[in-house]
PDB file of all heavy atoms in Angstrom:
ATOM      1  N   VAL N   1      -3.175  -4.783  -4.948  1.00 88.00           N
ATOM      2  CA  VAL N   1      -3.394  -3.650  -4.056  1.00 88.00           C
ATOM      3  C   VAL N   1      -2.795  -3.992  -2.693  1.00 88.00           C
ATOM      4  O   VAL N   1      -2.865  -5.137  -2.253  1.00 88.00           O
ATOM      5  CB  VAL N   1      -4.923  -3.386  -3.910  1.00 88.00           C
ATOM      6  CG1 VAL N   1      -5.219  -2.358  -2.851  1.00 88.00           C
ATOM      7  CG2 VAL N   1      -5.524  -2.966  -5.241  1.00 88.00           C
ATOM      8  N   ASN N   2      -2.213  -3.004  -2.049  1.00 85.00           N
ATOM      9  CA  ASN N   2      -1.781  -3.150  -0.664  1.00 85.00           C
ATOM     10  C   ASN N   2      -2.806  -2.485   0.234  1.00 85.00           C
ATOM     11  O   ASN N   2      -3.378  -1.455  -0.116  1.00 85.00           O
ATOM     12  CB  ASN N   2      -0.424  -2.488  -0.421  1.00 85.00           C
ATOM     13  CG  ASN N   2       0.721  -3.365  -0.847  1.00 85.00           C
ATOM     14  OD1 ASN N   2       0.608  -4.585  -0.903  1.00 85.00           O
ATOM     15  ND2 ASN N   2       1.848  -2.746  -1.161  1.00 85.00           N
ATOM     16  N   LYS N   3      -3.011  -3.075   1.404  1.00 86.00           N
ATOM     17  CA  LYS N   3      -3.928  -2.525   2.394  1.00 86.00           C
ATOM     18  C   LYS N   3      -3.109  -2.120   3.608  1.00 86.00           C
ATOM     19  O   LYS N   3      -2.265  -2.878   4.073  1.00 86.00           O
ATOM     20  CB  LYS N   3      -4.961  -3.577   2.791  1.00 86.00           C
ATOM     21  CG  LYS N   3      -5.931  -3.113   3.854  1.00 86.00           C
ATOM     22  CD  LYS N   3      -6.938  -4.220   4.170  1.00 86.00           C
ATOM     23  CE  LYS N   3      -7.911  -3.772   5.242  1.00 86.00           C
ATOM     24  NZ  LYS N   3      -8.899  -4.828   5.531  1.00 86.00           N
ATOM     25  N   TYR N   4      -3.368  -0.909   4.108  1.00 81.00           N
ATOM     26  CA  TYR N   4      -2.661  -0.398   5.268  1.00 81.00           C
ATOM     27  C   TYR N   4      -3.652  -0.047   6.365  1.00 81.00           C
ATOM     28  O   TYR N   4      -4.593   0.705   6.130  1.00 81.00           O
ATOM     29  CB  TYR N   4      -1.853   0.857   4.912  1.00 81.00           C
ATOM     30  CG  TYR N   4      -0.853   0.634   3.816  1.00 81.00           C
ATOM     31  CD1 TYR N   4      -1.126   1.024   2.506  1.00 81.00           C
ATOM     32  CD2 TYR N   4       0.355   0.012   4.071  1.00 81.00           C
ATOM     33  CE1 TYR N   4      -0.213   0.803   1.488  1.00 81.00           C
ATOM     34  CE2 TYR N   4       1.275  -0.206   3.060  1.00 81.00           C
ATOM     35  CZ  TYR N   4       0.984   0.194   1.778  1.00 81.00           C
ATOM     36  OH  TYR N   4       1.893  -0.023   0.777  1.00 81.00           O
ATOM     37  N   ASN N   5      -3.455  -0.608   7.536  1.00 77.00           N
ATOM     38  CA  ASN N   5      -4.198  -0.225   8.731  1.00 77.00           C
ATOM     39  C   ASN N   5      -3.215   0.538   9.606  1.00 77.00           C
ATOM     40  O   ASN N   5      -2.364  -0.062  10.237  1.00 77.00           O
ATOM     41  CB  ASN N   5      -4.718  -1.458   9.478  1.00 77.00           C
ATOM     42  CG  ASN N   5      -5.778  -2.183   8.695  1.00 77.00           C
ATOM     43  OD1 ASN N   5      -6.760  -1.591   8.280  1.00 77.00           O
ATOM     44  ND2 ASN N   5      -5.575  -3.459   8.466  1.00 77.00           N
ATOM     45  N   LEU N   6      -3.330   1.856   9.588  1.00 70.00           N
ATOM     46  CA  LEU N   6      -2.319   2.673  10.240  1.00 70.00           C
ATOM     47  C   LEU N   6      -2.501   2.776  11.746  1.00 70.00           C
ATOM     48  O   LEU N   6      -1.542   2.811  12.489  1.00 70.00           O
ATOM     49  CB  LEU N   6      -2.300   4.063   9.618  1.00 70.00           C
ATOM     50  CG  LEU N   6      -1.993   4.041   8.119  1.00 70.00           C
ATOM     51  CD1 LEU N   6      -2.094   5.425   7.537  1.00 70.00           C
ATOM     52  CD2 LEU N   6      -0.611   3.462   7.878  1.00 70.00           C
ATOM     53  N   ASP N   7      -3.731   2.873  12.183  1.00 69.00           N
ATOM     54  CA  ASP N   7      -4.003   2.928  13.610  1.00 69.00           C
ATOM     55  C   ASP N   7      -5.470   2.606  13.835  1.00 69.00           C
ATOM     56  O   ASP N   7      -6.230   2.453  12.891  1.00 69.00           O
ATOM     57  CB  ASP N   7      -3.623   4.291  14.217  1.00 69.00           C
ATOM     58  CG  ASP N   7      -4.312   5.461  13.517  1.00 69.00           C
ATOM     59  OD1 ASP N   7      -5.533   5.373  13.253  1.00 69.00           O
ATOM     60  OD2 ASP N   7      -3.640   6.463  13.260  1.00 69.00           O
ATOM     61  N   SER N   8      -5.863   2.498  15.082  1.00 71.00           N
ATOM     62  CA  SER N   8      -7.239   2.097  15.382  1.00 71.00           C
ATOM     63  C   SER N   8      -8.258   3.203  15.118  1.00 71.00           C
ATOM     64  O   SER N   8      -9.448   2.937  15.064  1.00 71.00           O
ATOM     65  CB  SER N   8      -7.337   1.638  16.839  1.00 71.00           C
ATOM     66  OG  SER N   8      -6.985   2.702  17.704  1.00 71.00           O
ATOM     67  N   LYS N   9      -7.804   4.437  14.928  1.00 73.00           N
ATOM     68  CA  LYS N   9      -8.720   5.552  14.705  1.00 73.00           C
ATOM     69  C   LYS N   9      -8.976   5.830  13.227  1.00 73.00           C
ATOM     70  O   LYS N   9      -9.963   6.437  12.875  1.00 73.00           O
ATOM     71  CB  LYS N   9      -8.162   6.825  15.353  1.00 73.00           C
ATOM     72  CG  LYS N   9      -8.056   6.749  16.861  1.00 73.00           C
ATOM     73  CD  LYS N   9      -7.514   8.037  17.426  1.00 73.00           C
ATOM     74  CE  LYS N   9      -6.064   7.812  17.784  1.00 73.00           C
ATOM     75  NZ  LYS N   9      -5.361   8.988  18.214  1.00 73.00           N
ATOM     76  N   SER N  10      -8.091   5.407  12.357  1.00 73.00           N
ATOM     77  CA  SER N  10      -8.181   5.739  10.933  1.00 73.00           C
ATOM     78  C   SER N  10      -8.774   4.586  10.132  1.00 73.00           C
ATOM     79  O   SER N  10      -8.602   3.423  10.491  1.00 73.00           O
ATOM     80  CB  SER N  10      -6.790   6.042  10.369  1.00 73.00           C
ATOM     81  OG  SER N  10      -6.179   7.063  11.092  1.00 73.00           O
ATOM     82  N   SER N  11      -9.444   4.944   9.038  1.00 79.00           N
ATOM     83  CA  SER N  11      -9.922   3.925   8.106  1.00 79.00           C
ATOM     84  C   SER N  11      -8.726   3.289   7.414  1.00 79.00           C
ATOM     85  O   SER N  11      -7.697   3.931   7.223  1.00 79.00           O
ATOM     86  CB  SER N  11     -10.811   4.560   7.039  1.00 79.00           C
ATOM     87  OG  SER N  11     -11.941   5.146   7.615  1.00 79.00           O
ATOM     88  N   ALA N  12      -8.879   2.046   7.014  1.00 84.00           N
ATOM     89  CA  ALA N  12      -7.825   1.388   6.236  1.00 84.00           C
ATOM     90  C   ALA N  12      -7.656   2.139   4.927  1.00 84.00           C
ATOM     91  O   ALA N  12      -8.605   2.702   4.383  1.00 84.00           O
ATOM     92  CB  ALA N  12      -8.207  -0.063   5.960  1.00 84.00           C
ATOM     93  N   CYS N  13      -6.436   2.179   4.428  1.00 86.00           N
ATOM     94  CA  CYS N  13      -6.232   2.757   3.104  1.00 86.00           C
ATOM     95  C   CYS N  13      -5.636   1.707   2.195  1.00 86.00           C
ATOM     96  O   CYS N  13      -5.028   0.746   2.635  1.00 86.00           O
ATOM     97  CB  CYS N  13      -5.402   4.024   3.107  1.00 86.00           C
ATOM     98  SG  CYS N  13      -4.275   4.331   4.371  1.00 86.00           S
ATOM     99  N   TYR N  14      -5.866   1.933   0.923  1.00 89.00           N
ATOM    100  CA  TYR N  14      -5.467   0.981  -0.109  1.00 89.00           C
ATOM    101  C   TYR N  14      -4.596   1.711  -1.113  1.00 89.00           C
ATOM    102  O   TYR N  14      -4.765   2.896  -1.356  1.00 89.00           O
ATOM    103  CB  TYR N  14      -6.709   0.413  -0.806  1.00 89.00           C
ATOM    104  CG  TYR N  14      -7.604  -0.347   0.132  1.00 89.00           C
ATOM    105  CD1 TYR N  14      -8.546   0.313   0.909  1.00 89.00           C
ATOM    106  CD2 TYR N  14      -7.493  -1.720   0.262  1.00 89.00           C
ATOM    107  CE1 TYR N  14      -9.370  -0.374   1.783  1.00 89.00           C
ATOM    108  CE2 TYR N  14      -8.319  -2.421   1.132  1.00 89.00           C
ATOM    109  CZ  TYR N  14      -9.248  -1.742   1.887  1.00 89.00           C
ATOM    110  OH  TYR N  14     -10.050  -2.437   2.752  1.00 89.00           O
ATOM    111  N   GLU N  15      -3.684   0.948  -1.694  1.00 86.00           N
ATOM    112  CA  GLU N  15      -2.776   1.524  -2.688  1.00 86.00           C
ATOM    113  C   GLU N  15      -2.584   0.527  -3.816  1.00 86.00           C
ATOM    114  O   GLU N  15      -2.248  -0.640  -3.586  1.00 86.00           O
ATOM    115  CB  GLU N  15      -1.430   1.831  -2.034  1.00 86.00           C
ATOM    116  CG  GLU N  15      -0.404   2.355  -3.001  1.00 86.00           C
ATOM    117  CD  GLU N  15       0.966   2.469  -2.361  1.00 86.00           C
ATOM    118  OE1 GLU N  15       1.224   1.839  -1.324  1.00 86.00           O
ATOM    119  OE2 GLU N  15       1.793   3.182  -2.944  1.00 86.00           O
ATOM    120  N   TYR N  16      -2.790   0.998  -5.034  1.00 89.00           N
ATOM    121  CA  TYR N  16      -2.540   0.173  -6.208  1.00 89.00           C
ATOM    122  C   TYR N  16      -1.044  -0.049  -6.320  1.00 89.00           C
ATOM    123  O   TYR N  16      -0.245   0.868  -6.135  1.00 89.00           O
ATOM    124  CB  TYR N  16      -3.080   0.862  -7.466  1.00 89.00           C
ATOM    125  CG  TYR N  16      -2.803   0.087  -8.725  1.00 89.00           C
ATOM    126  CD1 TYR N  16      -3.567  -1.032  -9.035  1.00 89.00           C
ATOM    127  CD2 TYR N  16      -1.769   0.461  -9.580  1.00 89.00           C
ATOM    128  CE1 TYR N  16      -3.307  -1.762 -10.181  1.00 89.00           C
ATOM    129  CE2 TYR N  16      -1.513  -0.266 -10.723  1.00 89.00           C
ATOM    130  CZ  TYR N  16      -2.276  -1.377 -11.021  1.00 89.00           C
ATOM    131  OH  TYR N  16      -2.021  -2.104 -12.153  1.00 89.00           O
ATOM    132  N   ILE N  17      -0.647  -1.269  -6.619  1.00 81.00           N
ATOM    133  CA  ILE N  17       0.768  -1.603  -6.742  1.00 81.00           C
ATOM    134  C   ILE N  17       1.134  -1.606  -8.216  1.00 81.00           C
ATOM    135  O   ILE N  17       0.588  -2.392  -8.988  1.00 81.00           O
ATOM    136  CB  ILE N  17       1.067  -2.996  -6.151  1.00 81.00           C
ATOM    137  CG1 ILE N  17       0.637  -3.047  -4.693  1.00 81.00           C
ATOM    138  CG2 ILE N  17       2.544  -3.326  -6.294  1.00 81.00           C
ATOM    139  CD1 ILE N  17       0.638  -4.437  -4.128  1.00 81.00           C
ATOM    140  N   ASP N  18       2.033  -0.730  -8.596  1.00 67.00           N
ATOM    141  CA  ASP N  18       2.523  -0.760  -9.970  1.00 67.00           C
ATOM    142  C   ASP N  18       4.029  -0.969  -9.950  1.00 67.00           C
ATOM    143  O   ASP N  18       4.680  -0.772  -8.944  1.00 67.00           O
ATOM    144  CB  ASP N  18       2.126   0.495 -10.755  1.00 67.00           C
ATOM    145  CG  ASP N  18       2.788   1.765 -10.242  1.00 67.00           C
ATOM    146  OD1 ASP N  18       3.671   1.682  -9.383  1.00 67.00           O
ATOM    147  OD2 ASP N  18       2.420   2.838 -10.718  1.00 67.00           O
ATOM    148  N   SER N  19       4.564  -1.392 -11.073  1.00 52.00           N
ATOM    149  CA  SER N  19       5.979  -1.753 -11.125  1.00 52.00           C
ATOM    150  C   SER N  19       6.897  -0.559 -10.900  1.00 52.00           C
ATOM    151  O   SER N  19       8.036  -0.717 -10.484  1.00 52.00           O
ATOM    152  CB  SER N  19       6.304  -2.425 -12.458  1.00 52.00           C
ATOM    153  OG  SER N  19       5.993  -1.556 -13.524  1.00 52.00           O
ATOM    154  N   GLU N  20       6.411   0.642 -11.142  1.00 51.00           N
ATOM    155  CA  GLU N  20       7.248   1.820 -10.944  1.00 51.00           C
ATOM    156  C   GLU N  20       7.484   2.092  -9.452  1.00 51.00           C
ATOM    157  O   GLU N  20       8.549   2.516  -9.051  1.00 51.00           O
ATOM    158  CB  GLU N  20       6.564   3.046 -11.571  1.00 51.00           C
ATOM    159  CG  GLU N  20       7.388   4.314 -11.482  1.00 51.00           C
ATOM    160  CD  GLU N  20       6.682   5.477 -12.144  1.00 51.00           C
ATOM    161  OE1 GLU N  20       5.988   5.272 -13.143  1.00 51.00           O
ATOM    162  OE2 GLU N  20       6.837   6.608 -11.641  1.00 51.00           O
ATOM    163  N   HIS N  21       6.461   1.828  -8.629  1.00 46.00           N
ATOM    164  CA  HIS N  21       6.575   2.120  -7.207  1.00 46.00           C
ATOM    165  C   HIS N  21       6.961   0.909  -6.365  1.00 46.00           C
ATOM    166  O   HIS N  21       7.461   1.049  -5.272  1.00 46.00           O
ATOM    167  CB  HIS N  21       5.252   2.685  -6.686  1.00 46.00           C
ATOM    168  CG  HIS N  21       4.936   4.029  -7.241  1.00 46.00           C
ATOM    169  ND1 HIS N  21       4.184   4.199  -8.371  1.00 46.00           N
ATOM    170  CD2 HIS N  21       5.310   5.260  -6.847  1.00 46.00           C
ATOM    171  CE1 HIS N  21       4.083   5.480  -8.638  1.00 46.00           C
ATOM    172  NE2 HIS N  21       4.754   6.145  -7.733  1.00 46.00           N
ATOM    173  N   HIS N  22       6.689  -0.286  -6.869  1.00 45.00           N
ATOM    174  CA  HIS N  22       6.943  -1.498  -6.103  1.00 45.00           C
ATOM    175  C   HIS N  22       7.526  -2.545  -7.033  1.00 45.00           C
ATOM    176  O   HIS N  22       6.893  -2.947  -7.991  1.00 45.00           O
ATOM    177  CB  HIS N  22       5.651  -2.035  -5.489  1.00 45.00           C
ATOM    178  CG  HIS N  22       5.005  -1.053  -4.581  1.00 45.00           C
ATOM    179  ND1 HIS N  22       5.398  -0.875  -3.285  1.00 45.00           N
ATOM    180  CD2 HIS N  22       4.008  -0.166  -4.786  1.00 45.00           C
ATOM    181  CE1 HIS N  22       4.658   0.056  -2.738  1.00 45.00           C
ATOM    182  NE2 HIS N  22       3.814   0.500  -3.620  1.00 45.00           N
ATOM    183  N   MET N  23       8.699  -3.000  -6.722  1.00 42.00           N
ATOM    184  CA  MET N  23       9.371  -3.979  -7.571  1.00 42.00           C
ATOM    185  C   MET N  23       8.834  -5.376  -7.274  1.00 42.00           C
ATOM    186  O   MET N  23       8.792  -5.786  -6.121  1.00 42.00           O
ATOM    187  CB  MET N  23      10.878  -3.923  -7.337  1.00 42.00           C
ATOM    188  CG  MET N  23      11.475  -2.592  -7.729  1.00 42.00           C
ATOM    189  SD  MET N  23      13.167  -2.359  -7.154  1.00 42.00           S
ATOM    190  CE  MET N  23      13.943  -3.851  -7.634  1.00 42.00           C
ATOM    191  N   ASP N  24       8.413  -6.097  -8.294  1.00 42.00           N
ATOM    192  CA  ASP N  24       7.921  -7.472  -8.182  1.00 42.00           C
ATOM    193  C   ASP N  24       6.825  -7.623  -7.134  1.00 42.00           C
ATOM    194  O   ASP N  24       6.710  -8.656  -6.495  1.00 42.00           O
ATOM    195  CB  ASP N  24       9.056  -8.435  -7.843  1.00 42.00           C
ATOM    196  CG  ASP N  24      10.114  -8.460  -8.926  1.00 42.00           C
ATOM    197  OD1 ASP N  24       9.894  -7.868  -9.984  1.00 42.00           O
ATOM    198  OD2 ASP N  24      11.144  -9.071  -8.723  1.00 42.00           O
ATOM    199  N   GLY N  25       6.025  -6.578  -6.920  1.00 41.00           N
ATOM    200  CA  GLY N  25       4.922  -6.651  -5.974  1.00 41.00           C
ATOM    201  C   GLY N  25       5.350  -6.609  -4.522  1.00 41.00           C
ATOM    202  O   GLY N  25       4.521  -6.652  -3.634  1.00 41.00           O
ATOM    203  N   ALA N  26       6.638  -6.555  -4.266  1.00 47.00           N
ATOM    204  CA  ALA N  26       7.105  -6.524  -2.884  1.00 47.00           C
ATOM    205  C   ALA N  26       7.300  -5.078  -2.460  1.00 47.00           C
ATOM    206  O   ALA N  26       8.085  -4.360  -3.036  1.00 47.00           O
ATOM    207  CB  ALA N  26       8.423  -7.282  -2.763  1.00 47.00           C
ATOM    208  N   CYS N  27       6.568  -4.694  -1.461  1.00 50.00           N
ATOM    209  CA  CYS N  27       6.643  -3.312  -1.004  1.00 50.00           C
ATOM    210  C   CYS N  27       7.836  -3.156  -0.080  1.00 50.00           C
ATOM    211  O   CYS N  27       7.961  -3.860   0.914  1.00 50.00           O
ATOM    212  CB  CYS N  27       5.369  -2.946  -0.266  1.00 50.00           C
ATOM    213  SG  CYS N  27       5.436  -1.308   0.484  1.00 50.00           S
ATOM    214  N   SER N  28       8.730  -2.258  -0.411  1.00 63.00           N
ATOM    215  CA  SER N  28       9.829  -1.960   0.493  1.00 63.00           C
ATOM    216  C   SER N  28       9.746  -0.502   0.903  1.00 63.00           C
ATOM    217  O   SER N  28      10.746   0.111   1.206  1.00 63.00           O
ATOM    218  CB  SER N  28      11.170  -2.266  -0.172  1.00 63.00           C
ATOM    219  OG  SER N  28      11.351  -1.422  -1.278  1.00 63.00           O
ATOM    220  N   CYS N  29       8.540   0.027   0.873  1.00 72.00           N
ATOM    221  CA  CYS N  29       8.393   1.407   1.308  1.00 72.00           C
ATOM    222  C   CYS N  29       7.739   1.424   2.673  1.00 72.00           C
ATOM    223  O   CYS N  29       6.964   0.550   3.032  1.00 72.00           O
ATOM    224  CB  CYS N  29       7.617   2.229   0.287  1.00 72.00           C
ATOM    225  SG  CYS N  29       5.870   2.316   0.504  1.00 72.00           S
TER     226      CYS N  29
END
């Protein structure tokens, strides 16, 4: 899972990492 802290006002969000969206677990998005 990737964790994103976008700003100090928003809750952290999480994203499941699958091979279709992220190659070898490395996020380039």
Side-chain angles (χ1 to χ4, degrees):
V1 172
N2 278 335
K3 178 179 180 179
Y4 302 100
N5 292 306
L6 300 176
D7 56 45
S8 61
K9 296 181 257 174
S10 304
S11 298
C13 25
Y14 298 84
E15 177 188 19
Y16 178 77
I17 303 168
D18 66 8
S19 59
E20 183 179 326
H21 293 92
H22 301 278
M23 297 168 48
D24 298 352
C27 174
S28 64
C29 91

